[in-house]
Amino acid sequence: MQYDHILIRYGEMALKGKNIKKFILQLQQNIQQKLKEFTNVKVKRTQGRMFVILNGHDPDPIIEKCRHIFGIQSLSLAIKVENDAEKIKEAALYALKESSHVRKFKVTVKRINKDFPVRSQEMNQVLGRHLLINTDDFTVDVHQPDMEIKVEIRQEATYITSAVIPGFGGLPVGTSGKSLLLLSGGIDSPVAGFLAMKRGVQLEAIHFHSPPFTSERAKQKVLDLSKQLTAFGGSIKVHIVPFTKLQQEIFREIPDGYAMTVMRRMMLRISEILCEKEGILSMTTGENLGQVASQTMESMNVINAVTNYPILRPLIAMDKSEIIDISKQIGTYETSILPYEDCCTIFVPKSPKTKPKRDKAAYFESKKDFSGLINEAVDGIETIKVSPVKKYDEAFDDLL
Amino acid sequence: MIYLDNSATTKTDPDVLRSFQQVSTTFFANPSSIHSLGGQVEKLYTKARQQAAELLGVNQNEIIFTAGGTEGNNMAIKGAALEHQNRGRHIITTEIEHPSVYEACKGLEKLGFDITYLPVNEQGKISVDELKSAIGKDTILISVIHVNNEMGAIQPIKEIGDIAAKHPKLLFHVDDVQGLGKVPLDLRRNGVDLCTYSGHKIHGLKGTGILYVNKRTKIFPLFHGGNQERALRSGTENVAGAVAMVKALRLVKEKEKAEIDRLYSNRNYLQKALKNMDGVIVNTPEDAAPHIINFSVPGTKPEVIIHMLGEKDIFISTKSACSSKEKDESRILTACGFNKDIAISALRVSLSYETTKEEINEFLQALQNAIIQFKQVME
């Protein structure tokens, strides 16, 4: 006997009306994509849920992969048996014995197939008794069990599931269009990307690279962060913008207090051009109200003035500690805190304006024509496709 | 040469050695240096850590590269004891641990810790019930050897892990130096918090190893310094060593997958032949690890047998190499309840995936001749 299915419960998308089919198909496709490497694993839709059929694969790595897919509320390992009391008993006992960290359990039987001769209540007791007789160490607690063993007797078969493993919820990536994530390499932007993906957004990323002020390692860090984000969606295109010349020009020409504001405006201008080229409908940033000078209400007003694309700011109302918690949870924190200079830290003015004005910013910009440098930066964009497939650098392959 | 002392150490795999050499000459920079060569090396080091984590089924930040089994065991035991001494000062281990666990515990006793050494039965196994009743309010750590190095006995790790899991403050350390690549151990499913591995027992290099430290587990570092390895083991990263360790790990896991049945069948063949040999008593239980067989030839001196076999270019050992300088009977066999005759005349054969049936036959023939010769001289 062994677990042969994973039961997948939908999140919020279960509430959708007529277009629910679109969400379900996208989720199925995302799961299939994610489990590509496991041959013979099948993803099947049934009434209101999905099953992954393991066909002999070890469930652990598959659960670990599925856990990261948005649109999944929770997962459980399941055993499928015939509608036969003895088989059901055996499977329930297996589920209990395989559990860890469990002392108190509860059995809940749902008899959807009314042809099954034993009624739900009675079956509860039959199974509870069977489990207690055949194990030591376990007790029944119907109010606060450590684990609930659910038995669903359906028409075609009976499914026995145990521990409920929470998923991330949200909507399947790909159901909400594309957004361009401004990825600096800090703690916030990957979290913002994660939260956008959680609402079904498919990401591309843009990074401003200023060699030699910022190093190859800073760029690698951004690629690493992107790779970590691919765990939650599919591949991510990362656009690396050569920003050195433009950035130097800004800091030479624009008064110190406004340099940072103008730099941000330039970044948005470049991002907008890229969005247009790539057919992307919005931008996503890790901005967080009041965190630093560029993120005051006044700064956002002035920076945002250069584009009328929607800017998603999933972190806008969060505390730093909440953001850090999420970044630890999704595994980007350790990479984010690596101490490499990025374009935002290298030229920090002594006292950036926290209350810049739109007209002043526009006035300073008008004194110098930046359009050539902007176009040059856009033309020099290097696009790297970061895919979730674990591929070691070939140079290291034969070493390891 | 017929080398049957693989539990003492193994022959280094040439591929592992090549990796070590290449990394030492090409990627020699300090991974913490910020220049681009340092960046390359850091990337390689991260890949090595990722690969180790994948092979062991854990997260990459749970892999701590060490300089081997003794270091890993000391780090885990003393580290857990120092970190959590305010919770309690009681540690449970067994009577058949490797010296690096056993002596670390003896050392802690001198600092005022209270250690319970669980006895084992003739199969070399502890009783789970005894373990259960040994746990008290101030127990902070259980440390158990997965596969015993002299006997090959396998401990019930899953059952112990389940018990440990019921005490949220109790850490569970496993010494898996002998089991790695031979007896599967799923760290996650068995509730293991700390686990020691060594490179040179799996055809890697001496001075390399891994300590698995669960991400929730806190231990006090033995080495303070530049905060490398999650600040649990400071010291410039031994990148070449880590790469060599991970390569050896990958190779042994592949071997395990493909050839474990052959290893078992070789062991069973050898065990059966030894049982049928005059004057030989097999000490290793039936359900032991697939690479260690301990047996005694009562009335002979094991050292003499070793030397007689050595003349034929066949290498086996008495008790574990780590304690073979101590005279007298084996501590492990005595703990298993064997009488003195058996405990002082014990020999150990340990196989590798490379060992062939022809080699086993040749060894058996040589052993039989040696026993006959010995008895003739003594009579």
Side-chain angles (χ1 to χ4, degrees):
Chain A
M1 173 125 327
Q2 64 178 19
Y3 284 114
D4 46 12
H5 284 61
I6 296 169
L7 168 70
I8 288 174
R9 301 181 192 83
Y10 303 150
E12 191 185 307
M13 59 192 249
L15 305 175
K16 294 286 174 197
K18 281 195 184 137
N19 59 354
I20 187 167
K21 188 93 190 216
K22 177 185 117 184
F23 289 87
I24 291 175
L25 287 175
Q26 183 74 53
L27 179 61
Q28 186 183 21
Q29 194 190 327
N30 292 357
I31 297 174
Q32 279 165 343
Q33 184 68 25
K34 204 63 172 284
L35 301 181
K36 223 168 36 187
E37 65 188 90
F38 302 96
T39 44
N40 271 332
V41 165
K42 296 265 176 327
V43 185
K44 216 175 75 184
R45 285 172 282 130
T46 67
Q47 195 83 54
R49 53 183 56 174
M50 248 177 243
F51 282 106
V52 176
I53 301 160
L54 295 170
N55 274 328
H57 281 277
D58 178 11
D60 285 353
I62 294 181
I63 286 188
E64 192 52 32
K65 287 232 144 115
C66 290
R67 235 168 48 77
H68 291 95
I69 299 173
F70 291 123
I72 296 178
Q73 193 64 31
S74 65
L75 312 119
S76 293
L77 279 167
I79 310 171
K80 183 182 177 182
V81 295
E82 291 162 43
N83 290 344
D84 171 272
E86 286 309 311
K87 294 256 164 65
I88 297 173
K89 278 184 186 172
E90 192 193 338
L93 183 61
Y94 171 81
L96 184 64
K97 282 189 170 165
E98 273 293 290
S99 65
S100 52
H101 302 269
V102 170
R103 266 177 291 180
K104 299 176 291 182
F105 74 93
K106 160 187 183 177
V107 180
T108 311
V109 178
K110 252 197 212 164
R111 190 182 56 137
I112 295 152
N113 177 359
K114 301 296 180 202
D115 293 337
F116 190 77
V118 190
R119 300 177 56 181
S120 300
Q121 273 310 316
E122 201 183 328
M123 196 65 194
N124 271 340
Q125 290 165 12
V126 170
L127 289 177
R129 199 178 312 127
H130 181 71
L131 298 185
L132 288 175
I133 290 171
N134 289 291
T135 54
D136 308 326
D137 286 359
F138 293 102
T139 56
V140 170
D141 185 337
V142 293
H143 300 295
Q144 283 184 313
D146 299 323
M147 182 172 89
E148 184 178 359
I149 298 175
K150 288 187 187 151
V151 178
E152 274 190 28
I153 306 170
R154 293 177 158 245
Q155 298 303 335
E156 73 281 11
T158 298
Y159 292 95
I160 292 98
T161 61
S162 50
V164 177
I165 303 148
F168 278 106
L171 298 174
V173 170
T175 56
S176 303
K178 251 191 213 173
S179 187
L180 182 68
L181 173 68
L182 277 71
L183 194 56
S184 65
I187 294 171
D188 297 350
S189 43
V191 176
F194 165 79
L195 290 173
M197 286 166 110
K198 187 175 173 195
R199 297 309 297 168
V201 168
Q202 193 187 340
L203 288 184
E204 293 195 12
I206 186 169
H207 175 70
F208 296 89
H209 186 44
S210 301
F213 303 106
T214 63
S215 67
E216 277 301 305
R217 289 171 98 167
K219 180 171 143 191
Q220 186 58 45
K221 178 178 167 185
V222 166
L223 295 177
D224 289 346
L225 287 169
S226 304
K227 186 152 193 163
Q228 284 156 359
L229 286 177
T230 60
F232 302 97
S235 310
I236 296 177
K237 269 180 170 176
V238 183
H239 306 277
I240 309 281
V241 184
F243 202 50
T244 317
K245 274 190 182 170
L246 183 55
Q247 195 172 14
Q248 279 177 307
E249 192 71 2
I250 293 167
F251 281 84
R252 200 155 40 225
E253 298 295 334
I254 306 288
D256 203 38
Y258 270 79
M260 191 267 308
T261 311
V262 169
M263 183 183 84
R264 300 263 165 188
R265 282 160 63 99
M266 295 298 173
M267 287 176 171
L268 285 195
R269 287 189 176 103
I270 291 171
S271 299
E272 190 184 285
I273 298 172
L274 186 67
C275 282
E276 262 174 50
K277 270 170 83 171
E278 296 278 315
I280 300 170
L281 299 180
S282 73
M283 302 170 204
T284 301
T285 71
E287 283 168 303
N288 170 237
L289 193 56
Q291 193 185 97
V292 290
S294 65
Q295 297 174 12
T296 61
M297 193 72 87
E298 290 80 1
S299 279
M300 277 190 216
N301 179 292
V302 177
I303 293 167
N304 211 153
V306 301
T307 178
N308 58 8
Y309 269 63
I311 297 181
L312 312 182
R313 298 183 174 91
L315 311 185
I316 198 70
M318 285 191 184
D319 287 353
K320 192 75 187 182
S321 61
E322 294 173 273
I323 300 170
I324 289 176
D325 285 348
I326 298 177
S327 78
K328 283 183 176 163
Q329 195 192 345
I330 64 175
T332 54
Y333 181 77
E334 296 296 330
T335 310
S336 285
I337 58 172
L338 293 173
Y340 312 129
E341 300 284 357
D342 65 45
C343 58
C344 303
T345 56
I346 198 87
F347 295 107
V348 183
K350 281 194 200 70
S351 51
K353 277 261 182 290
T354 54
K355 293 184 177 173
K357 300 252 164 21
R358 281 188 180 200
D359 52 353
K360 275 199 169 166
Y363 169 72
F364 292 135
E365 285 173 6
S366 71
K367 291 170 70 172
K368 172 87 195 170
D369 182 11
F370 288 98
S371 59
L373 287 173
I374 290 178
N375 289 333
E376 198 180 312
V378 171
D379 291 342
I381 286 176
E382 176 197 6
T383 299
I384 299 168
K385 189 175 169 188
V386 178
S387 61
V389 192
K390 290 216 166 112
K391 220 172 117 193
Y392 298 112
D393 275 27
E394 273 148 33
F396 300 149
D397 252 6
D398 48 338
L399 292 174
L400 291 163
Chain B
M1 179 178 76
I2 298 177
Y3 184 77
L4 298 173
D5 195 14
N6 289 285
S7 287
T9 190
T10 56
K11 183 171 153 186
T12 305
D13 186 304
D15 280 340
V16 170
L17 192 57
R18 205 170 306 131
S19 284
F20 182 84
Q21 203 168 11
Q22 270 176 23
V23 177
S24 302
T25 50
T26 316
F27 299 107
F28 55 84
N30 189 323
S32 301
S33 297
I34 62 171
H35 48 66
S36 61
L37 185 58
Q40 285 266 315
V41 174
E42 190 199 27
K43 219 160 125 185
L44 172 60
Y45 196 54
T46 308
K47 302 264 177 212
R49 195 187 300 282
Q50 271 169 4
Q51 188 170 316
E54 259 169 57
L55 290 166
L56 297 173
V58 300
N59 290 342
Q60 53 164 307
N61 61 358
E62 296 175 320
I63 301 287
I64 306 295
F65 287 113
T66 65
T70 293
E71 180 181 306
N73 282 336
N74 271 273
M75 245 174 103
I77 289 165
K78 293 179 187 163
L82 291 176
E83 181 70 27
H84 301 295
Q85 54 184 323
N86 293 333
R87 277 185 195 165
R89 291 166 79 82
H90 178 230
I91 292 170
I92 300 173
T93 185
T94 77
E95 281 183 356
I96 56 157
E97 294 300 312
H98 184 265
S100 59
V101 168
Y102 193 77
E103 294 300 328
C105 288
K106 289 274 173 211
L108 287 171
E109 268 180 317
K110 286 189 189 148
L111 295 180
F113 283 83
D114 176 21
I115 317 279
T116 301
Y117 300 90
L118 293 172
V120 293
N121 61 17
E122 195 148 313
Q123 268 76 50
K125 284 195 188 181
I126 62 159
S127 140
V128 174
D129 287 331
E130 271 178 63
L131 170 76
K132 237 188 244 179
S133 49
I135 297 174
K137 248 185 20 209
D138 55 352
T139 311
I140 52 174
L141 175 71
I142 299 174
S143 180
V144 172
I145 190 165
H146 180 208
V147 172
N148 174 264
N149 53 318
E150 281 187 38
M151 286 276 285
I154 303 172
Q155 298 301 331
I157 299 296
K158 168 96 174 101
E159 276 119 310
I160 302 170
D162 283 349
I163 294 168
K166 288 174 186 164
H167 303 267
K169 286 183 177 170
L170 183 51
L171 295 179
F172 179 29
H173 167 245
V174 176
D175 171 1
D176 196 23
V177 168
Q178 287 294 343
L180 181 61
K182 312 289 189 332
V183 185
L185 171 68
D186 187 322
L187 295 170
R188 285 263 187 275
R189 289 206 173 168
N190 293 303
V192 178
D193 298 303
L194 297 150
C195 187
T196 306
Y197 299 106
S198 166
H200 77 99
K201 308 278 193 199
I202 54 167
H203 306 277
L205 293 164
K206 278 83 180 161
T208 62
I210 287 173
L211 179 67
Y212 159 77
V213 182
N214 183 295
K215 55 179 183 285
R216 289 184 304 276
T217 302
K218 278 193 176 162
I219 57 173
F220 192 81
L222 295 189
F223 305 154
H224 289 89
N227 288 347
Q228 289 89 346
E229 304 294 307
R230 260 170 74 188
L232 294 181
R233 187 194 189 270
S234 289
T236 297
E237 295 89 343
N238 177 4
V239 179
V243 168
M245 170 75 208
V246 176
K247 180 145 194 169
L249 180 62
R250 174 173 69 79
L251 293 174
V252 81
K253 288 273 179 187
E254 286 172 7
K255 284 260 166 63
E256 185 180 13
K257 219 170 181 181
E259 294 184 44
I260 189 75
D261 290 341
R262 198 173 60 84
L263 188 58
Y264 267 106
S265 105
N266 275 346
R267 197 274 313 259
N268 291 343
Y269 174 77
L270 173 58
Q271 188 153 3
K272 205 168 156 203
L274 285 171
K275 272 193 176 153
N276 292 332
M277 198 180 281
D278 258 352
V280 173
I281 296 171
V282 174
N283 303 320
T284 291
E286 292 289 341
D287 61 349
H291 60 305
I292 299 177
I293 294 190
N294 190 301
F295 62 95
S296 295
V297 190
T300 63
K301 286 207 184 322
E303 215 186 302
V304 177
I305 302 243
I306 298 257
H307 294 318
M308 288 164 103
L309 291 172
E311 280 173 11
K312 305 260 180 258
D313 235 7
I314 298 173
F315 303 104
I316 69 167
S317 60
T318 54
K319 36 193 176 178
S320 82
C322 299
S323 19
S324 59
K325 286 188 192 115
E326 301 157 27
K327 283 246 155 102
D328 308 331
E329 66 258 41
S330 152
R331 168 170 64 79
I332 308 294
L333 291 181
T334 309
C336 294
F338 290 105
N339 67 37
K340 195 167 176 182
D341 275 353
I342 287 183
I344 57 170
S345 63
L347 292 160
R348 179 185 70 180
V349 171
S350 41
L351 313 178
S352 81
Y353 287 106
E354 314 302 325
T355 310
T356 63
K357 209 161 209 170
E358 291 72 46
E359 290 179 320
I360 293 174
N361 281 329
E362 212 174 307
F363 156 71
L364 285 166
Q365 190 58 53
L367 176 67
Q368 190 148 39
N369 292 344
I371 294 172
I372 293 168
Q373 208 184 333
F374 185 91
K375 294 218 160 138
Q376 279 170 351
V377 173
M378 297 307 281
E379 278 161 17

